[in-house]
Amino acid sequence: MVSRLINSVEDWISSLNNSTLIIEDKRSEITVSGRIRVAYYYEGLEDKLSDEFNIKIHIYKDYPLTIPDIEELDGKIPKEFHMNDIFFCLGVPLEMLMYAKNHSIEQFLNRYLNSYLMSFMYYYKYGICPYGDRSHGSHGKLEHLKEYFQEQNDRMVFKLLKLTINEKVGRNEKCVCGSGKKYKRCHLNTIENLKMSIDKKELVSTYEELIRFVKNKNTA
Amino acid sequence: MNKSSPPDVDLVIGLCYNLFKLIRNRYMKGVVIINSEMILIDSIKELELSVTQYMRIKSSYDALSEELKKNDTEVEVYTQGSILLGTTIRPYRKNKNVEYDVDLVAQYPKDKSTLLPQQVRDYVGNTFKQNGTYASKLLEKKRCWRIEYAEQEGLGFHADIVPAIPESQIEIQKILTKPGFEYLADLSVAITHKDDDDSRAEWLSCNPKGYGEWFSLIKSEKYRTMIEQKRSTIYMENKDLFSNIDEVPIQLVKTPMQRVIQLLKRHRDVYFSGKKSEDDKPISIIITTLAAEIVDTLNLQQLGFVDLLAEVTRALIEVERLIDNKLYTSYQIRSLIYRKESEWWIPNPVNINENFADKWNDNINIPRAFFDWLKALERDIIDNINDKNFHKILCEKLAVPCKDSSENEESIISVSSNTSSKPWSRHGK
């Protein structure tokens, strides 16, 4: 397991040019540290940006159950940009856990670290994230679930989330989202996918957090 | 085809490999790829007006407009053609880059029934003849007055000012447009045409504003979000030029639709340059109209540059096959180019009785040159998009200096809205 993780990390490092990164195998984690040189071409925006970052990646050996933490050592990225204490806020936890479940660490770093650094470089130059960022806290989590279920409405997200946690619907019954389509042709896959990749406890706590958030929002 | 022959193994392996490459390019953009999209766009950027160049041209024609207003405060001066559409590309003739054309209309709110064409020509001509700065640079053309500007910092251009008045209501009633664009007929103007000094000027009907509207409707329907995004990027990069985002001329925002037209025009210029058939090359309005019509028929939104270029080229080549197909009779399902009573037809979408392919019927070499060029376009660009020497090939076919690609040694990761994730944080404002 661990050797597969290290191989995948090595694959990732060898795909980068002009970067000097060192892998260390520690007791509960693998760390990758050094300078990473990145250049991005923004499709649709026709813009090229490049820069160098001094980073340290903590890859926990229970990946994909735990998401890697990444820090930047030169203080180039300010705390105001998406950061939790010292680590990058790569994305919404639920989304990352789901992605990690079906992807190697190489693919994970390619997607999330690249997106993060390129968003930062663009933000640094123009003051906005090129392809958007999530709202802070619970609001961002809700945004992600809306996108995931492709629903506009808060209530529908809760219905679908509840279904993921404990209800059963027959494949040929009508979907709870009200589309009129059979469940198997509608939300079945999205729900099964969520069920399989996320621990039930995590789903329940997300559900409760979001319910609280929406209630507060409505009373405020 | 002989059904019993065994499949060619090399061919099958080749196809599988290409398929693999296609899938990899599409779904694994996180991996390092210097893609052809970037190469194509960089080449076009070399050949188009920069933001500062565009603004310099704009201030020149704003000055012309001021000058005309001194004589008649009611005159309205506006752009037409590629400057209006945002499809300007460096013109190339006889193996060298030549100056840009800036096409303008000077429209006077006068009644057509009370005026002779020559009087309208004189409104513009006399204003500039009386002015010392412009008189020496003024030239009379068949339909316009040309003012030559001296080349400055590598930017050479001339302005063609077309004198115009609103078209009469009687004529407007007669104009037929493509279905759904009837209201654009009201924007028609009457312009003047004079063959030489001895002949009398005559009225002609045209609708540059309506055409611009038609073009812009197709563009914004397909690329609304991209236009907003790019416009704000241009604003943020040029805060010294613009005090707010609305000041950024929409012509500076280039969607893939405009880029495709720019590329087609440039490839045409280079392809015909120095050839015997150079005078028979397809006119820009034909290329622009056909490309926009094709984009309009695509069901896909926000198609990227390479994909759109391939679609447009494929559709144009397909057109030749459909020309004499009798099944296509009504306007809606007619091939983009068709024959009516053995005459070539490419109608103006905002006045379908105006034929952009008029000249094709006098000289058979013109349609021939057009279809030959399309084949060359496919061969030169589309067929080479995945070639490892694409950059070099493109530089040759578009006649742009091929910069040494050593700067490209940096691995460039191509990112787009569907390959990137959005940062989030637990706490914050």
Side-chain angles (χ1 to χ4, degrees):
Chain A
M1 243 356 241
V2 172
S3 73
R4 234 169 70 196
L5 203 57
I6 292 181
N7 281 344
S8 184
V9 173
E10 280 169 349
D11 282 347
W12 177 69
I13 293 173
S14 67
S15 76
L16 304 164
N17 281 7
N18 310 321
S19 298
T20 42
L21 293 168
I22 298 157
I23 307 184
E24 279 173 88
D25 189 352
K26 294 182 179 165
R27 205 162 54 84
S28 62
E29 64 177 64
I30 300 161
T31 62
V32 181
S33 45
R35 301 199 155 269
I36 174 173
R37 174 134 201 103
V38 285
Y40 297 110
Y41 163 70
Y42 294 82
E43 228 170 77
L45 300 172
E46 294 168 24
D47 213 339
K48 256 180 292 183
L49 290 175
S50 61
D51 206 348
E52 201 176 278
F53 296 91
N54 185 9
I55 56 164
K56 186 168 186 183
I57 310 174
H58 305 262
I59 298 161
Y60 305 105
K61 288 188 176 169
D62 60 350
Y63 178 89
L65 298 175
T66 313
I67 297 300
D69 282 322
I70 308 174
E71 54 186 315
E72 192 258 320
L73 306 173
D74 290 347
K76 213 173 206 169
I77 303 179
K79 289 265 182 288
E80 299 83 72
F81 196 70
H82 299 273
M83 284 269 215
N84 279 338
D85 304 325
I86 55 166
F87 297 126
F88 297 171
C89 291
L90 300 169
V92 177
L94 213 61
E95 182 189 347
M96 290 194 288
L97 284 169
M98 255 155 70
Y99 187 85
K101 181 92 182 169
N102 304 313
H103 294 86
S104 67
I105 190 75
E106 182 192 358
Q107 287 167 319
F108 183 91
L109 291 172
N110 267 333
R111 180 179 170 88
Y112 285 96
L113 182 57
N114 274 338
S115 293
Y116 185 85
L117 292 177
M118 68 105 190
S119 286
F120 167 72
M121 276 154 63
Y122 198 88
Y123 179 86
Y124 187 70
K125 195 168 172 201
Y126 301 123
I128 52 162
C129 289
Y131 301 115
D133 51 358
R134 300 246 181 249
S135 305
H136 295 280
S138 311
H139 194 181
K141 291 188 180 179
L142 190 60
E143 272 172 13
H144 160 247
L145 282 172
K146 278 185 182 170
E147 247 170 58
Y148 179 70
F149 288 128
Q150 298 190 358
E151 286 292 343
Q152 307 295 326
N153 181 311
D154 292 353
R155 251 190 51 209
M156 216 49 92
V157 170
F158 289 125
K159 252 190 184 173
L160 291 164
L161 204 52
K162 215 168 157 187
L163 188 68
T164 317
I165 295 165
N166 56 18
E167 278 171 30
K168 283 208 160 63
V169 181
R171 294 169 56 83
N172 288 314
E173 284 173 43
K174 279 197 177 156
C175 186
V176 293
C177 75
S179 66
K181 285 190 227 164
K182 283 184 182 175
Y183 180 49
K184 66 177 176 190
R185 299 208 184 284
C186 198
H187 278 97
L188 176 87
N189 283 337
T190 41
I191 285 180
E192 285 302 314
N193 194 7
L194 192 59
K195 225 186 245 178
M196 295 218 297
S197 30
I198 308 291
D199 189 50
K200 195 164 172 176
K201 255 195 243 156
E202 176 75 33
L203 285 173
V204 171
S205 79
T206 305
Y207 180 80
E208 284 169 351
E209 178 192 334
L210 292 183
I211 285 275
R212 260 199 315 276
F213 166 70
V214 170
K215 269 188 189 151
N216 286 341
K217 195 177 70 174
N218 289 344
T219 50
Chain B
M1 209 177 102
N2 185 358
K3 275 186 189 164
S4 61
S5 68
D8 185 332
V9 177
D10 285 344
L11 187 77
V12 173
I13 292 174
L15 280 174
C16 290
Y17 181 65
N18 281 332
L19 191 66
F20 163 73
K21 269 206 305 203
L22 194 78
I23 293 169
R24 190 192 58 191
N25 290 354
R26 212 153 262 286
Y27 298 104
M28 296 185 58
K29 289 235 173 105
V31 186
V32 180
I33 291 166
I34 299 171
N35 62 3
S36 41
E37 179 125 351
M38 195 174 73
I39 294 173
L40 272 162
I41 286 169
D42 278 355
S43 307
I44 292 177
K45 278 186 171 172
E46 293 277 306
L47 295 164
E48 69 183 7
L49 293 167
S50 66
V51 175
T52 37
Q53 286 179 327
Y54 181 88
M55 293 313 282
R56 232 163 69 208
I57 288 182
K58 189 173 183 305
S59 67
S60 302
Y61 72 69
D62 283 345
L64 291 180
S65 169
E66 283 310 305
E67 201 53 44
L68 288 168
K69 281 202 167 107
K70 277 185 200 159
N71 259 15
D72 187 335
T73 51
E74 288 191 303
V75 66
E76 183 199 355
V77 179
Y78 51 87
T79 54
Q80 63 155 324
S82 71
I83 290 278
L84 170 67
L85 307 176
T87 55
T88 311
I89 191 96
R90 190 75 196 256
Y92 188 81
R93 267 189 288 274
K94 307 231 175 345
N95 297 315
K96 58 171 195 279
N97 285 325
V98 293
E99 58 184 25
Y100 289 101
D101 302 295
V102 176
D103 294 316
L104 303 170
V105 179
Q107 185 175 339
Y108 294 84
K110 308 265 191 212
D111 182 359
K112 192 178 171 190
S113 61
T114 64
L115 282 169
L116 288 172
Q118 188 59 47
Q119 288 175 287
V120 178
R121 290 176 82 84
D122 290 342
Y123 288 151
V124 175
N126 290 344
T127 309
F128 291 126
K129 279 178 195 162
Q130 288 156 12
N131 182 306
T133 19
Y134 292 113
S136 60
K137 307 182 217 159
L138 191 69
L139 203 67
E140 185 168 10
K141 299 291 226 176
K142 285 179 183 171
R143 293 179 187 183
C144 64
W145 293 93
R146 176 169 295 179
I147 289 178
E148 290 281 352
Y149 287 85
E151 185 169 321
Q152 247 184 44
E153 292 161 43
L155 174 67
F157 66 97
H158 58 253
D160 283 343
I161 307 141
V162 177
I165 55 168
E167 187 52 277
S168 68
Q169 276 308 312
I170 308 162
E171 290 296 323
I172 287 176
Q173 294 306 317
K174 289 190 220 157
I175 292 171
L176 291 174
T177 68
K178 217 186 146 179
F181 298 99
E182 289 80 4
Y183 66 102
L184 294 177
D186 291 341
L187 299 170
S188 297
V189 291
I191 63 164
T192 68
H193 179 95
K194 187 173 167 183
D195 269 322
D196 51 62
D197 282 350
D198 302 328
S199 55
R200 265 179 51 161
E202 285 166 25
W203 291 120
L204 281 178
S205 189
C206 73
N207 191 356
K209 239 188 198 174
Y211 185 89
E213 268 307 297
W214 168 79
F215 185 88
S216 138
L217 281 168
I218 295 175
K219 179 186 75 182
S220 48
E221 190 192 318
K222 301 284 175 193
Y223 292 102
R224 191 178 307 278
T225 45
M226 186 189 285
I227 292 170
E228 283 166 22
Q229 224 169 16
K230 284 194 177 189
R231 200 175 190 186
S232 71
T233 310
I234 295 171
Y235 165 61
M236 288 181 291
E237 276 182 342
N238 297 283
K239 280 196 168 153
D240 49 329
L241 291 174
F242 309 111
S243 59
N244 65 60
I245 189 162
D246 297 325
E247 277 180 19
V248 179
I250 199 70
Q251 284 77 5
L252 288 172
V253 179
K254 299 283 193 266
T255 63
M257 171 172 158
Q258 288 148 301
R259 292 249 190 257
V260 165
I261 293 167
Q262 288 178 304
L263 177 99
L264 296 183
K265 282 163 62 177
R266 178 68 182 192
H267 180 266
R268 168 205 60 185
D269 283 357
V270 176
Y271 171 78
F272 284 103
S273 170
K275 277 202 173 59
K276 260 194 284 174
S277 52
E278 188 161 3
D279 293 336
D280 299 332
K281 67 184 182 186
I283 52 178
S284 295
I285 188 92
I286 286 185
I287 295 175
T288 307
T289 307
L290 295 176
E293 297 260 23
I294 291 165
V295 172
D296 194 27
T297 59
L298 297 175
N299 290 322
L300 303 157
Q301 296 276 321
Q302 305 258 29
L303 219 48
F305 181 62
V306 167
D307 291 338
L308 191 72
L309 178 66
E311 285 289 333
V312 169
T313 311
R314 193 194 50 72
L316 282 172
I317 287 167
E318 182 81 359
V319 160
E320 190 180 11
R321 235 171 35 78
L322 295 175
I323 283 167
D324 284 318
N325 194 330
K326 295 280 183 293
L327 285 172
Y328 299 89
T329 45
S330 77
Y331 187 90
Q332 288 92 325
I333 52 164
R334 196 175 256 163
S335 162
L336 300 170
I337 303 173
Y338 59 91
R339 306 241 232 182
K340 197 160 81 180
E341 288 146 13
S342 80
E343 288 211 320
W344 293 99
W345 267 87
I346 301 172
N348 180 347
V350 292
N351 180 1
I352 59 175
N353 290 320
E354 181 184 348
N355 184 6
F356 287 145
D358 229 354
K359 291 228 168 71
W360 291 28
N361 299 311
D362 307 332
N363 181 356
I364 190 171
N365 290 324
I366 299 179
R368 216 172 262 164
F370 176 74
F371 293 111
D372 285 347
W373 164 63
L374 286 182
K375 283 177 203 111
L377 172 74
E378 186 179 39
R379 215 170 41 231
D380 293 349
I381 313 280
I382 308 294
D383 291 351
N384 290 322
I385 278 176
N386 291 319
D387 195 291
K388 64 178 191 308
N389 293 320
F390 182 57
H391 188 208
K392 241 189 188 152
I393 298 169
L394 193 69
C395 291
E396 185 198 322
K397 300 298 177 190
L398 298 184
V400 276
C402 206
K403 275 191 281 181
D404 188 24
S405 56
S406 57
E407 59 159 333
N408 278 348
E409 268 177 30
E410 192 165 54
S411 319
I412 292 168
I413 299 164
S414 168
V415 289
S416 71
S417 53
N418 39 19
T419 56
S420 64
S421 65
K422 298 172 181 171
W424 165 86
S425 52
R426 194 172 299 281
H427 313 290
K429 33 176 194 331

